[in-house]
Amino acid sequence: RLLASTLSETTYGVPHLPDHSAAIFLPWTVISINAEYSTSVEIERVLSAAVRRQEIYNNSASTNVRVVVLLDEAGLPKKEKSDMALKVLHPYLDECKVAFVAISNRHFDSANENRMVIVLRSLASREDLEVLALGCLGLEADNVQPRTRHFLKGICQAYLEIANDEVFKKFFHYRDFIYLLRYIHCQQRSIGGTLRPDMPLLLDALERNFNGMERSQFMRIVAIFTRCIMAELRGSVPQLEEEDYA
């Protein structure tokens, strides 16, 4: 859905719509393959099928659909295997018969990069994270209570500190930040409440999404989130003590 909406907005200038169902997603057929477990033969098979499907759509006067091949985890395989498997992309990238998007943690080889538009994702700013947080929680910026806004600002600031920490940045990324917010949202919605500063619930969310390391390291994470949130709320929430997460 995110890929479809992004491609729609950047390619055809489709405005953002509140309903993310048919209006944005249906004009795109996304075919996803995982490079880590795919051979060149399997990748070519998917690309060939995508080209055939796109030709069918092009020949249909009543259909305006773009087929997108999404190559996920393109940077995870060993370099030698990845480069050999991805050589099959060359003719498809040259002919441009089907849209192609690859997600990679490293640069491609020059032959592929010269056939692509490279988009590098840098570390998000606090303002970017706040927009992302509101989206994850289904909130409109103009309808957020002040305490809730400060609570979210504290969470975003805490994540920024963790993302810049020499130890934590190796383990935690946007996925953990997003699922932290989604867990808080789901838990408060399940009891019929609205989003509000809830430190015990935050602790539960941190244990689920920012854990998996030594106890002392996890205590540091809890301390970072508590300090940042209390700074935004000016100490108006109870501070978590060590026995709370014993």
Side-chain angles (χ1 to χ4, degrees), residues 18 28 35 45 60 85-86 100 109 113 125 148 155 157 166 175-176 199 201 221 224 229 240:
W28 299 88
R45 185 183 302 128
S60 175
L86 298 183
F100 175 80
D109 62 290
E113 282 196 351
S125 66
T148 300
I155 291 177
Q157 180 60 37
E166 290 300 322
R175 180 188 296 110
D176 307 293
M199 298 306 284
L201 177 57
I221 292 176
I224 291 173
I229 292 173
L240 294 172

Coordinates of all heavy atoms in Angstrom, one line a residue, residues 18 28 35 45 60 85-86 100 109 113 125 148 155 157 166 175-176 199 201 221 224 229 240:
P18 N -7.8 10.2 1.9 CA -8.0 9.6 3.2 C -8.3 8.1 3.2 O -7.9 7.4 4.1 CB -9.2 10.4 3.8 CG -9.9 10.9 2.6 CD -8.8 11.2 1.6
W28 N -2.3 -0.3 -9.2 CA -1.0 -0.9 -9.2 C -1.1 -2.4 -8.9 O -1.7 -2.8 -7.9 CB -0.1 -0.2 -8.2 CG 0.1 1.2 -8.5 CD1 -0.7 2.3 -8.1 CD2 1.1 1.8 -9.3 NE1 -0.3 3.5 -8.6 CE2 0.8 3.2 -9.3 CE3 2.2 1.3 -10.0 CZ2 1.6 4.1 -10.0 CZ3 3.0 2.2 -10.7 CH2 2.7 3.6 -10.7
A35 N 15.3 -11.3 -2.9 CA 16.6 -11.6 -3.6 C 17.4 -12.5 -2.8 O 18.2 -13.2 -3.3 CB 17.3 -10.3 -3.8
R45 N 12.0 -15.3 -14.3 CA 10.7 -15.8 -14.5 C 9.6 -14.8 -14.0 O 8.6 -14.6 -14.7 CB 10.5 -17.1 -13.7 CG 9.2 -17.8 -14.0 CD 9.1 -19.1 -13.1 NE 10.1 -20.0 -13.4 CZ 10.9 -20.5 -12.5 NH1 10.8 -20.2 -11.2 NH2 11.9 -21.4 -12.9
S60 N -5.8 -3.6 -23.0 CA -7.2 -3.5 -22.6 C -7.5 -2.0 -22.5 O -6.9 -1.3 -21.7 CB -7.4 -4.2 -21.2 OG -8.7 -4.0 -20.7
A85 N 23.1 -13.0 -9.7 CA 21.6 -13.1 -9.8 C 21.0 -11.9 -10.4 O 20.0 -12.0 -11.2 CB 21.0 -13.4 -8.4
L86 N 21.5 -10.7 -10.1 CA 20.9 -9.5 -10.6 C 21.4 -9.1 -12.0 O 20.9 -8.1 -12.5 CB 21.2 -8.4 -9.6 CG 20.7 -8.6 -8.2 CD1 21.0 -7.4 -7.3 CD2 19.2 -8.8 -8.2
F100 N 10.0 -1.2 -12.0 CA 10.9 -2.1 -11.1 C 11.4 -1.3 -9.9 O 11.9 -0.1 -10.1 CB 12.1 -2.6 -11.9 CG 13.0 -3.4 -11.1 CD1 12.8 -4.7 -10.8 CD2 14.2 -2.8 -10.7 CE1 13.7 -5.4 -10.0 CE2 15.1 -3.5 -9.9 CZ 14.9 -4.8 -9.6
D109 N 26.0 -3.0 -8.2 CA 27.1 -2.9 -9.1 C 26.9 -1.8 -10.1 O 25.7 -1.4 -10.3 CB 27.4 -4.2 -9.8 CG 26.2 -4.6 -10.7 OD1 25.2 -5.0 -10.2 OD2 26.4 -4.5 -11.9
E113 N 23.4 0.1 -11.4 CA 23.1 1.4 -10.9 C 23.0 2.4 -12.1 O 22.2 3.4 -12.0 CB 24.3 1.9 -10.0 CG 24.2 1.3 -8.6 CD 25.1 2.0 -7.6 OE1 25.9 2.9 -8.0 OE2 25.0 1.8 -6.4
S125 N 14.4 13.2 10.4 CA 14.5 14.3 11.4 C 13.4 14.0 12.4 O 12.5 13.2 12.2 CB 14.3 15.6 10.8 OG 13.0 15.7 10.2
T148 N -1.0 14.6 24.5 CA -0.7 13.5 23.6 C 0.4 13.9 22.6 O 1.3 13.1 22.3 CB -2.0 13.1 22.8 OG1 -3.0 12.7 23.7 CG2 -1.7 12.0 21.8
I155 N 8.6 10.4 22.6 CA 8.9 9.1 22.0 C 9.8 9.3 20.8 O 10.8 8.6 20.6 CB 7.6 8.4 21.6 CG1 6.8 8.0 22.9 CG2 7.9 7.2 20.7 CD1 5.5 7.3 22.6
Q157 N 11.8 11.9 20.1 CA 13.2 12.3 20.5 C 14.0 11.1 21.1 O 15.2 11.0 20.8 CB 13.0 13.4 21.6 CG 14.4 14.0 22.1 CD 15.2 14.5 21.0 OE1 14.7 15.2 20.1 NE2 16.5 14.4 21.1
E166 N 25.9 4.6 19.5 CA 26.8 3.6 18.8 C 26.4 2.2 19.0 O 26.7 1.3 18.2 CB 28.2 3.9 19.3 CG 28.8 5.2 18.9 CD 28.9 5.3 17.4 OE1 29.2 4.3 16.7 OE2 28.6 6.4 16.8
R175 N 11.5 0.0 11.8 CA 10.5 -1.0 12.1 C 10.1 -1.1 13.5 O 9.0 -1.2 13.9 CB 11.1 -2.4 11.6 CG 10.1 -3.5 11.8 CD 10.7 -4.9 11.5 NE 11.1 -5.0 10.1 CZ 12.4 -5.0 9.6 NH1 13.4 -4.8 10.5 NH2 12.7 -5.1 8.4
D176 N 11.1 -1.0 14.4 CA 10.9 -1.1 15.8 C 10.1 0.1 16.3 O 9.2 0.0 17.2 CB 12.2 -1.2 16.6 CG 13.1 -2.4 16.1 OD1 12.7 -3.5 16.2 OD2 14.1 -2.1 15.5
M199 N 2.7 5.4 31.0 CA 4.0 4.9 31.1 C 4.1 3.4 31.3 O 4.9 2.8 30.7 CB 4.7 5.6 32.2 CG 4.9 7.2 32.0 SD 5.7 7.6 30.4 CE 7.4 7.2 30.8
L201 N 2.1 1.2 30.0 CA 1.9 0.7 28.6 C 3.1 0.9 27.7 O 3.5 0.0 27.0 CB 0.6 1.4 28.0 CG 0.3 0.9 26.5 CD1 0.1 -0.6 26.4 CD2 -0.9 1.7 26.0
I221 N 17.6 2.0 27.7 CA 16.6 2.4 26.7 C 15.4 2.9 27.5 O 14.8 4.0 27.1 CB 16.2 1.1 25.9 CG1 17.4 0.7 25.0 CG2 15.0 1.4 25.1 CD1 17.1 -0.5 24.2
I224 N 16.1 6.4 28.6 CA 16.1 7.4 27.6 C 14.7 7.8 27.2 O 14.4 9.0 27.1 CB 16.8 6.8 26.3 CG1 18.3 6.7 26.6 CG2 16.6 7.7 25.1 CD1 19.1 6.0 25.4
I229 N 10.4 11.8 27.4 CA 8.9 12.1 27.6 C 8.7 13.0 28.8 O 7.9 13.9 28.7 CB 8.2 10.7 27.8 CG1 8.2 9.9 26.5 CG2 6.7 11.0 28.2 CD1 7.7 8.5 26.6
L240 N 9.4 5.8 35.6 CA 9.5 4.3 35.8 C 10.7 4.0 36.7 O 11.8 4.5 36.4 CB 9.6 3.6 34.5 CG 8.3 3.7 33.6 CD1 8.6 3.2 32.2 CD2 7.2 3.0 34.2

